[in-house]
């Protein structure tokens, strides 16, 4: 089977590399993937693959049914690729650099989109090798807002019922021709918060007549440092980072209000609850301490991304054939970055795979950087791995 998949990936590679360069030149931000989505439909249309568009605004769902006879109840597997770019101005110097000022595919989603199209073209030629259905989910807005959840809400996991989900991320921290497939927590869940402290503004020389919002903000930032170190179990992972503090206007005016923005990361629901409660407690305590008030807006965003044992096994089997055993990483720490593929693995069995793209493992390719660059050749591994995961699952 691998040989057939490899042959087809070679056949379609020139077209897929072109598509990747096209997507790279015309990056679109989260929920604005109109041209990208249109191009995806065009390729599917030309190949005679059926699809639905306009799911969660710009999302596309394609379907291919196998024709192999089977006595068992047919299964359905979903493969997902995200399509959005980032508000970064490209400085990579590649020949197919972004033509849109201030926008760039700096996370590899150009490759995820083109690669998933390649996988669809490959499996479209291998219909007689499987029974059941493969769905291809071209998802908007992974970087911002999250397109996976609304696509699930619009029914991509139903009709036919999806039994398992798989996806890949091209990963700059790993060497080319390697894949990481771990069991358990792989990427963090993420929440965010907006916090406002309300004091009483006044003259910098008369602090006793004021309630200092700057001091409340400073106390909060300091006091939350003990949440991870003292409330969370030492073996659980958690991050609370305040990324923005804004308050005050001049040397001699005590600020009336302070605004803070922060991010929260965790690997399980229990830790999430502990961190959220800790932030609420500290905000409340600080306001009480100073006699001011606070308004906390805590947003739950993406859950942690967990690969279950079954999904990880299928993915490992698939990539092992593509890359060989020594190039498969099965033991690694979770990454505290977040990924909304987590909504899919929360709803169904499955796994998410990192596919290496760094030429030299000592020189990682940094995601979201203006210099983010990688060779299109890596899409062969992506296409072959995705196709093999679908076939492994359907034929298992
Ligand atoms: Zn990203
Ligand atoms: Zn990404």
């Amino acid at each position: 089977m691998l040989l057939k998949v490899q042959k087809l990936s070679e056949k379609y590679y020139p077209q897929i590399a072109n598509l990747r360069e096209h997507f790279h030149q015309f990056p679109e931000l989260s929920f604005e993937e109109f041209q990208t989505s249109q191009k995806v439909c065009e390729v599917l249309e030309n190949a005679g693959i059926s699809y639905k568009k306009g799911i969660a605004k710009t999302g596309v769902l394609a379907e291919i049914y196998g024709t192999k006879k089977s006595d068992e109840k047919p299964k359905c597997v979903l493969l997902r690729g995200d399509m959005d770019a980032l508000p970064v101005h490209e400085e990579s110097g590649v020949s197919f650099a972004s033509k849109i000022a201030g926008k760039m595919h700096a996370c590899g989603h150009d490759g995820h989109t083109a690669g998933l199209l390649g996988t669809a073209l490959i499996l479209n030629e291998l219909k007689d090798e499987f029974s059941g259905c493969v769905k291809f989910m071209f998802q908007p807005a992974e970087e911002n807002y999250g397109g996976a959840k609304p696509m699930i809400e619009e029914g991509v996991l139903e009709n036919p019922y999806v039994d398992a989900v798989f996806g890949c991320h091209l990963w700059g921290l790993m060497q080319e021709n390697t894949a990481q497939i771990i069991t358990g927590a792989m990427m963090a869940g993420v929440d965010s918060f907006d916090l406002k402290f309300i004091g009483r503004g006044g003259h910098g020389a008369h602090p006793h007549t004021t309630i200092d919002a700057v001091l409340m903000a400073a106390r909060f930032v300091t006091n939350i440092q003990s949440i991870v170190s003292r409330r969370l179990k030492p073996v659980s992972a958690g991050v609370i980072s305040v990324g923005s503090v804004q308050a005050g206007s001049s040397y001699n005016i005590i600020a009336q209000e302070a605004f803070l923005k922060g991010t929260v990361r965790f690997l399980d629901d229990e830790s999430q609850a502990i961190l959220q409660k800790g932030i609420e407690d500290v905000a409340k305590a600080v306001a009480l301490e100073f006699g001011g008030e606070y308004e906390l807006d805590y947003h739950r965003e993406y859950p942690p991304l967990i690969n279950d044992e079954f999904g990880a096994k299928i993915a490992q089997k698939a990539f092992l054939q593509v890359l060989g055993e020594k190039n498969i990483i099965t033991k690694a720490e979770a990454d505290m970055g977040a990924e909304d593929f987590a909504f899919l693995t929360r709803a169904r069995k499955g796994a998410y795979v990192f596919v290496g793209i760094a030429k030299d493992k000592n020189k990682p390719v940094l995601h979201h950087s203006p210099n983010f660059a990688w060779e299109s050749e890596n899409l062969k591994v992506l296409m072959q791995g995705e196709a093999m995961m679908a076939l492994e699952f359907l034929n298992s």
Side-chain angles (χ1 to χ4, degrees):
M1 185 66 79
L2 177 70
L3 273 176
K4 288 182 187 171
V5 168
Q6 278 172 332
K7 247 193 184 143
L8 287 165
S9 79
E10 293 294 340
K11 170 180 164 185
Y12 286 114
Y13 175 70
Q15 182 187 352
I16 296 311
N18 269 335
L19 278 166
R20 184 252 165 154
E21 294 188 3
H22 174 85
F23 292 136
H24 195 88
Q25 285 176 315
F26 301 100
E28 297 176 298
L29 302 183
S30 303
F31 283 129
E32 295 173 5
E33 307 90 341
F34 297 105
Q35 307 295 325
T36 308
S37 173
Q38 201 182 323
K39 193 86 189 164
V40 165
C41 294
E42 223 176 273
V43 176
L44 294 168
E45 190 100 48
N46 288 338
I49 299 169
S50 70
Y51 65 88
K52 289 183 212 108
K53 62 179 179 181
I55 307 171
K57 211 168 175 182
T58 52
V60 177
L61 185 74
E63 286 176 2
I64 297 175
Y65 285 86
T67 54
K68 188 177 165 187
K69 290 260 175 299
S70 166
D71 299 333
E72 284 170 50
K73 186 172 164 274
K75 290 189 278 192
C76 177
V77 62
L78 179 142
L79 300 172
R80 174 270 211 172
D82 41 6
M83 304 189 290
D84 55 331
L86 287 155
V88 172
H89 191 80
E90 180 152 8
E91 290 170 24
S92 71
V94 299
S95 60
F96 51 92
S98 171
K99 290 191 190 293
I100 317 285
K103 294 182 191 174
M104 177 187 176
H105 269 293
C107 202
H109 301 187
D110 49 340
H112 301 170
T113 310
L116 189 59
L117 280 169
T119 307
L121 296 176
I122 292 169
L123 290 175
N124 198 37
E125 290 210 34
L126 293 175
K127 279 185 207 150
D128 53 348
E129 302 283 352
F130 64 93
S131 54
C133 173
V134 188
K135 290 187 182 181
F136 303 84
M137 174 178 171
F138 295 90
Q139 184 209 300
E142 189 283 320
E143 297 287 3
N144 218 333
Y145 315 116
K149 194 164 173 240
M151 283 192 85
I152 294 170
E153 285 163 357
E154 290 192 32
V156 297
L157 294 178
E158 308 295 334
N159 300 319
Y161 183 91
V162 169
D163 298 287
V165 294
F166 295 96
C168 297
H169 204 303
L170 296 164
W171 206 241
L173 308 182
M174 284 162 40
Q175 190 154 16
E176 288 181 337
N177 297 312
T178 65
Q180 180 198 296
I181 307 146
I182 59 175
T183 310
M186 175 183 176
M187 295 185 81
V190 60
D191 292 342
S192 65
F193 63 87
D194 288 279
L195 173 61
K196 180 175 165 184
F197 282 112
I198 306 149
R200 191 189 311 124
H203 201 298
H206 308 141
H208 59 294
T209 65
T210 71
I211 295 172
D212 188 347
V214 167
L215 192 54
M216 284 198 277
R219 187 82 104 223
F220 174 82
V221 173
T222 312
N223 285 3
I224 55 167
Q225 304 307 321
S226 63
I227 297 173
V228 170
S229 72
R230 286 298 172 268
R231 288 198 185 198
L232 211 58
K233 271 188 260 170
V235 290
S236 300
V239 179
I240 303 174
S241 295
V242 175
S244 167
V245 180
Q246 288 179 339
S249 57
S250 193
Y251 301 100
N252 55 357
I253 303 169
I254 285 178
Q256 172 136 330
E257 293 178 328
F259 302 87
L260 299 93
K261 290 177 189 293
T263 189
V264 181
R265 309 289 168 122
F266 44 88
L267 295 178
D268 56 68
D269 295 354
E270 190 193 344
S271 302
Q272 177 187 33
I274 290 168
L275 298 179
Q276 180 174 358
K277 170 119 188 355
I279 289 166
E280 283 165 359
D281 287 350
V282 172
K284 197 172 173 185
V286 167
L288 184 73
E289 182 185 359
F290 288 87
E293 285 170 48
Y294 77 100
E295 286 168 15
L296 176 65
D297 216 345
Y298 189 95
H299 325 276
R300 290 191 161 199
E301 293 180 1
Y302 299 171
L305 170 46
I306 317 273
N307 287 342
D308 60 70
E309 218 167 292
F310 173 83
K313 271 215 179 92
I314 295 277
Q316 284 165 8
K317 259 191 187 166
F319 274 89
L320 197 120
Q321 295 174 66
V322 175
L323 292 171
E325 198 174 352
K326 68 176 196 321
N327 295 315
I328 307 298
I329 301 153
T330 56
K331 292 229 169 353
E333 288 169 350
D335 188 281
M336 294 311 276
E339 162 60 69
D340 74 347
F341 189 81
F343 286 107
L344 291 158
T345 46
R346 191 154 266 221
R348 296 292 189 271
K349 290 183 283 192
Y352 200 56
V353 178
F354 282 158
V355 175
I357 51 169
K359 281 227 159 305
D360 174 351
K361 74 166 185 270
N362 299 317
K363 284 195 198 123
V365 180
L366 301 181
H367 290 260
H368 295 204
S369 138
N371 298 312
F372 183 76
W374 53 277
E375 299 287 336
S376 295
E377 286 277 332
N378 291 298
L379 292 176
K380 288 182 189 170
V381 175
L382 184 84
M383 291 189 274
Q384 291 171 17
E386 285 180 341
M388 291 304 289
M389 286 195 291
L391 293 167
E392 269 299 329
F393 174 74
L394 292 175
N395 292 332
S396 67

